Structures are given as C-alpha cells and as structure tokens.
Amino acid sequence: MNVTLHPSWHSQLQSEFQKPYFETLVRFVKDEYSSTTCYPKGNNIFAAFDHSNFELTKVVIIGQDPYHGPNQANGLCFSVKDGIPHPPSLINIFKEIERDIGKPYPKSGNLEHWADQGVLLLNATLTVRAHNAGSHQNKGWEVFTDAVIRKLSTKKEGLVFLLWGGYAKKKIALIDTSKHHILTSGHPSPLSANRGLWFGNKHFSKTNELLKKMGKTPINW
C-alpha cells in the first residue's frame, strides 16, 4: 500500500502508522488489492492527504466510502476523475453551489482544486471492493480517520467542518466545538435531498463567510 502524504501530514500521523491496528489494516488492504478489484487505485488511497497541507487546511468535509464503480474514486470524498459521469450526490452538491453562490454547474466532477485550496475531503473508509459498498468498513480505517479528525481538532483552530448526513454528524464527538465551526445538514444523496434536507443549506457561502471573518482566503468552489 502506497502511503503518499504531504510531509506536513506525515509528521502528524507517523505515530498512527506504527500502531498494531494500522499494521493489520495494511495487510488486509494489500490482500484485498491483490485478490480482487478495489478502489481507488493504490496511489490514490491517501490522495486527500497528498493534496492537502496539514498547516493550510481550512475546511473539512467528511464522507463515508469511496465510490465503488469503475474509474470513479480518486481518493477524495464525493470527487470523481475527470471525464467520469457525476454520481447523484455530487450532482446535488453542484446544484446547491449553483443555487447558493451562482457558480455554473461544472463539466468535471474532480474536486482536486478544492483540496489544493485547503479543503480536506476525507472519507471515513479509504478503500472499497468494486461494486460492494461498505466492504472495507470496520477493518481499521475508521480508527485511523477518527485519529485524523482528533488531530485536526486538537492541533488547529478555526476549522470549518461540513458534516452532511447522520454518519458524518456522529463525528461531532471528536471535534472541540469551542474552537471550530461546524455546519450540518442532510446528506446530498437523492434520498435526503428529495426530502428537503439538503438543498438550501447554503454551506458554501456560509463557509466562505466564516473564513473571511477569520481573515482567511475563501474557497473558490
């Protein structure tokens, strides 16, 4: 398993990589990738940390699983590779951005440009079997990504956490709400969005307003 991280993350997470659970997780992932088709590609598993600098992280979006269809997952939650049709949740994210800040619906669903601006696009589970959602849950990934969230909460101040849906909202327990900003809403999936729990949350304009108040550069969504 290729662990490619921005150096700023490596220094923060080095102790985590040496724990027994992570060694077990690495063996599991290697076995899965050698015996069946898994996503994302090995060199993209840690893409969220490769694009993002720990010191410059301003916004955190938490997803659950990588996309499990061919050529979709690129290691960033909700993001797909260039040229790939947009999954339903991503469609609703872009529709809300259009409604919220007036930015036209984009051609590409690749969110690397968000990550490069300091948005950590973190899935709770970083790998998945093809066509088998949730197949790599409860194998150790959540222990690792919970540690990431705790590290961000402890070491940084003024982060904006976007928690969409019930699963992401549970991560509030890991965040010091006295020093960070938390915006919650329903999930952008059609099931939630069609029940009126997603559209109109204005999380993209609200995030930028919070960043401006803290003297930080807003995100070009």
Side-chain angles (χ1 to χ4, degrees):
M1 183 165 63
N2 297 321
V3 182
T4 306
L5 309 173
H6 187 277
S8 63
W9 278 106
H10 207 278
S11 60
Q12 294 293 333
L13 299 173
Q14 183 59 39
S15 61
E16 214 62 31
F17 297 143
Q18 297 171 351
K19 292 181 179 179
Y21 88 85
F22 197 84
E23 294 175 7
T24 302
L25 171 62
V26 168
R27 287 196 297 271
F28 166 76
V29 171
K30 284 182 175 178
D31 287 346
E32 285 285 287
Y33 272 70
S34 64
S35 62
T36 187
T37 301
C38 295
Y39 302 118
K41 288 184 177 179
N43 60 353
N44 285 329
I45 292 174
F46 289 90
F49 304 97
D50 197 17
H51 280 273
S52 169
N53 181 325
F54 178 84
E55 304 301 334
L56 300 181
T57 297
K58 299 184 286 192
V59 180
V60 182
I61 300 177
I62 299 174
Q64 192 164 358
D65 257 6
Y67 295 123
H68 52 83
N71 299 315
Q72 289 181 308
N74 68 351
L76 310 175
C77 72
F78 295 108
S79 176
V80 293
K81 296 179 181 179
D82 292 322
I84 299 298
H86 303 174
S89 291
L90 186 57
I91 290 172
N92 287 337
I93 288 171
F94 286 146
K95 284 181 177 179
E96 177 58 22
I97 290 174
E98 192 169 25
R99 291 173 54 160
D100 183 14
I101 61 175
K103 184 169 184 176
Y105 192 102
K107 182 176 181 180
S108 174
N110 193 333
L111 303 181
E112 287 180 357
H113 67 289
W114 291 9
D116 292 338
Q117 297 175 75
V119 181
L120 180 65
L121 295 160
L122 181 66
N123 274 318
T125 303
L126 299 189
T127 57
V128 68
R129 274 191 186 187
H131 312 297
N132 192 352
S135 49
H136 286 186
Q137 291 177 5
N138 302 314
K139 301 296 184 181
W141 277 129
E142 296 91 340
V143 179
F144 174 71
T145 53
D146 280 359
V148 170
I149 296 168
R150 286 194 195 94
K151 184 76 70 172
L152 286 163
S153 176
T154 302
K155 294 288 187 75
K156 296 185 66 66
E157 291 188 14
L159 294 176
V160 182
F161 286 87
L162 305 184
L163 307 181
W164 300 336
Y167 183 87
K169 290 175 187 176
K170 292 178 182 176
K171 303 301 181 181
I172 291 175
L174 307 173
I175 303 165
D176 184 345
T177 56
S178 70
K179 56 190 281 201
H180 300 290
H181 304 277
I182 297 178
L183 300 179
T184 64
S185 79
H187 196 275
S189 67
L191 180 64
S192 178
N194 293 340
R195 290 162 53 204
L197 302 176
W198 167 255
F199 290 116
N201 67 24
K202 297 185 181 297
H203 276 192
F204 305 96
S205 61
K206 288 178 180 178
T207 295
N208 280 348
E209 287 166 12
L210 287 167
L211 292 173
K212 287 177 189 175
K213 286 179 181 177
M214 292 184 285
K216 299 177 182 180
T217 305
I219 304 300
N220 178 14
W221 301 107

